[in-house]
Amino acid sequence: TNVGSEWQSNASNVARVDQAGNVVAMAAGRATIKARRQNKEANVIVEVKAPPPPPAPVLLAISVDQGGTHSLDIGKTAALTSVAIFSDGSRDRTTSLFRWESRNQDIVSVTAEGVMRALKSGQATLALGRAEKTFTISVNVPPPRVTAITLTPNSLILTKGESKNISAEAIFSDGSRESTPVRFLWES
């Protein structure tokens, strides 16, 4: 038993000892614990190790500010903003952690940083992530729409029984032009 013994630590900032011989680790380092009784003493070396570092935060989710489905006209670009959410509550812009990629590169291209560009009409899936977490969005690239129609000539003067051809040209949102007469609805 420890009754009647006197206990001491030479470094109580590292390890403390009570008069019952219970040692409590305080900080990393070395201490000598001494027990004394009736002119006899004994020492024990106590080494206190630093606690292990906390585990690295675990990726819980990826949030994309413009999540869901996008619509982007041919030739247009848009930037996607993403944030990684970790188990310790921290958030980090994911440009350095993840890379964007297009699963339909012929329809929508995307840079590693998330700038997408519509190349042709169709549906594309863009993915952001790494092995354990992936986030996807859908991008719809609609067919080009008519933004203007030009007629040539823009006015006609005819005499009775005379006919002349009017040519029509559609100008589309992607900058393309079409002048197929059968695709226009003509009215008088």
Side-chain angles (χ1 to χ4, degrees), residues 62 64 78-83 93-102 105 108-117 126-130 135:
I62 303 169
V64 176
L80 299 163
T81 304
S82 52
V83 176
R93 292 263 175 227
T94 58
T95 55
S96 63
L97 300 173
F98 305 103
R99 295 180 66 85
W100 281 99
E101 64 180 45
S102 175
Q105 293 180 8
V108 176
S109 66
V110 65
T111 66
E113 296 78 25
V115 177
M116 61 181 169
R117 181 179 186 84
L126 303 182
L128 171 72
R130 57 186 185 196
F135 184 90

Side-chain angles (χ1 to χ4, degrees), residues 1-7 34-42:
T1 69
N2 293 329
V3 177
S5 298
E6 181 183 320
W7 295 89
K34 183 186 293 187
R36 187 178 320 162
R37 183 171 183 181
Q38 295 179 357
N39 297 329
K40 300 289 182 199
E41 60 182 55

Side-chain angles (χ1 to χ4, degrees), residues 146-152 166-172 175-181 184 186:
V146 176
T147 57
I149 296 175
T150 60
L151 300 176
T152 306
I166 299 173
S167 64
E169 181 178 54
I171 302 168
F172 292 90
S176 64
R177 296 171 178 261
E178 183 180 278
S179 59
T180 308
F184 290 92
W186 296 91

Side-chain angles (χ1 to χ4, degrees), residues 37-104:
R37 183 171 183 181
Q38 295 179 357
N39 297 329
K40 300 289 182 199
E41 60 182 55
N43 295 326
V44 65
I45 303 293
V46 176
E47 185 174 334
V48 178
K49 294 185 178 185
V58 175
L59 175 65
L60 296 178
I62 303 169
S63 171
V64 176
D65 292 345
Q66 307 85 355
T69 302
H70 290 266
S71 185
L72 193 62
D73 289 334
I74 294 172
K76 301 293 182 185
T77 61
L80 299 163
T81 304
S82 52
V83 176
I85 302 166
F86 293 93
S87 57
D88 65 355
S90 64
R91 294 172 176 260
D92 190 5
R93 292 263 175 227
T94 58
T95 55
S96 63
L97 300 173
F98 305 103
R99 295 180 66 85
W100 281 99
E101 64 180 45
S102 175
R103 294 184 179 160
N104 312 92

Side-chain angles (χ1 to χ4, degrees), residues 156-176:
L156 281 176
I157 299 174
L158 299 173
T159 58
K160 185 178 177 178
E162 184 181 9
S163 68
K164 287 209 178 184
N165 186 29
I166 299 173
S167 64
E169 181 178 54
I171 302 168
F172 292 90
S173 56
D174 66 352
S176 64

Side-chain angles (χ1 to χ4, degrees), residues 120-157:
K120 72 176 189 180
S121 64
Q123 191 75 25
T125 299
L126 303 182
L128 171 72
R130 57 186 185 196
E132 73 271 20
K133 294 281 184 215
T134 302
F135 184 90
T136 61
I137 64 165
S138 295
V139 181
N140 178 47
V141 182
R145 63 186 181 288
V146 176
T147 57
I149 296 175
T150 60
L151 300 176
T152 306
N154 61 5
S155 66
L156 281 176
I157 299 174

